[in-house]
Amino acid sequence: MAHRIFAVDAFTDRPFAGNPAGVCILEAPVGDAWMQSVAAEMNHAETAFLQKTADGYNLRWFTPTVEVELCGHATLASAHVLWTKGFEPDTDPIRFSTKSGILTASFVGARIVLDFPSEPPSPAELPFRLGILGDDILYVGKNRMDWIVQLPTENDVRGLQPDMNEVLRLGERGLIITAKADTSGIDFVSRFFAPQSGVDEDPATGSAHCCLAPFWSERLGLTSMVGYQASPRGGTVGVQMVGNRVHLLGTAVTFLEGEICC
């Protein structure tokens, strides 16, 4: 039985930017090993697997090496595919059942809005000194998934050249590096490194913004912000704090589509 699959660039309005994701629409139940093999073949940061249910879709995400509990850009890509390819009318929200609970996507104006859990960090100490960060660290913390480190300036974040072996030793899912933005039109910048999950540097990480949104909301006194993930591809993520939820706002572009025949 053939399963339709798409490659989508998320958190961008143009191809070859943002974060690539695979989106596979399952025509029948499949095993975990098969999904992991497809994700490895796609070789994107995450591939999303969608199975239609009575009230929405079951959604799971796999990197090339592991399954993850939360992924923003592949959820954005999934909603984009379901609406633009005619699986669902874009006037209706989409409900996803995931390992992080129920997530929803709505199409508002020209952007997709994802309703995700807020994942604020708590102060923590790194298990060892990361040589790439220097001595001017402003904050170190951790949530249930990732480490987060605040540096003094946007240039500090943009100029990082991390040793992935060091980052790998940190454990957890990955490492968020962030700073207040100096560039007009954005509020904060970030980068995300996750060799622990098979992704050295993720181009635009929606789930990391579930941590970044409450972190910067507290420091900037804002509930609506724009984050820029300063990876080589770059990605823009709008965030809004809504109680204990974070709304992630962005756009996506389909790059290719086809069928898996095995």
Side-chain angles (χ1 to χ4, degrees):
M1 180 176 293
H3 305 278
R4 293 183 69 182
I5 193 160
F6 304 82
V8 176
D9 292 332
F11 292 116
T12 182
D13 59 2
R14 58 188 175 87
F16 314 118
N19 201 351
V23 177
C24 182
I25 311 295
L26 298 173
E27 295 298 327
V30 297
D32 290 8
W34 185 89
M35 287 188 280
Q36 187 64 77
S37 294
V38 170
E41 189 81 4
M42 292 294 288
N43 201 33
H44 292 319
E46 273 86 10
T47 296
F49 295 87
L50 295 156
Q51 178 76 57
K52 180 71 173 172
T53 65
D55 62 351
Y57 291 84
N58 288 329
L59 171 59
R60 295 172 70 180
W61 310 278
F62 288 78
T63 78
T65 59
V66 297
E67 184 175 9
V68 295
E69 292 187 6
L70 188 64
C71 178
H73 84 280
T75 306
L76 187 89
S78 297
H80 168 80
V81 166
L82 291 173
W83 284 321
T84 60
K85 300 303 176 182
F87 292 97
E88 300 292 336
D90 64 13
T91 52
D92 296 343
I94 301 172
R95 176 183 169 98
F96 299 109
S97 297
T98 79
K99 290 192 172 184
S100 288
I102 300 299
L103 310 176
T104 61
S106 303
F107 197 65
V108 180
R111 293 192 292 181
I112 295 169
V113 180
L114 305 178
D115 183 349
F116 269 44
S118 177
E119 301 282 355
S122 298
E125 290 188 11
L126 291 169
F128 56 90
R129 183 181 181 276
L130 276 173
I132 61 167
L133 299 179
D135 298 320
D136 295 326
I137 296 172
L138 301 183
Y139 176 90
V140 177
K142 186 168 65 169
N143 64 11
R144 70 184 178 96
M145 298 181 292
D146 304 314
W147 291 95
I148 180 171
V149 174
Q150 181 189 358
L151 296 182
T153 72
E154 178 177 327
N155 285 338
D156 292 330
V157 173
R158 289 180 179 272
L160 280 180
Q161 295 183 337
D163 180 339
M164 292 301 168
N165 289 324
E166 276 196 330
V167 178
L168 184 65
R169 289 172 53 207
L170 288 175
E172 306 304 329
R173 183 186 67 161
L175 170 66
I176 305 165
I177 305 293
T178 188
K180 185 177 182 296
D182 301 316
T183 302
S184 176
I186 57 176
D187 296 292
F188 60 86
V189 297
S190 67
R191 291 172 71 188
F192 184 71
F193 305 102
Q196 305 93 312
S197 302
V199 182
D200 282 355
E201 180 168 7
D202 199 36
T205 315
S207 59
H209 285 74
C210 295
C211 177
L212 289 160
F215 180 83
W216 283 111
S217 180
E218 179 181 342
R219 285 156 179 78
L220 300 177
L222 301 172
T223 58
S224 182
M225 297 165 286
V226 177
Y228 181 74
Q229 195 155 327
S231 66
R233 289 174 65 100
T236 301
V237 184
V239 295
Q240 296 173 346
M241 292 298 303
V242 184
N244 65 350
R245 307 291 291 180
V246 174
H247 287 180
L248 306 175
L249 294 81
T251 56
V253 179
T254 300
F255 171 63
L256 68 85
E257 58 184 288
E259 291 184 343
I260 302 173
C261 302
C262 59

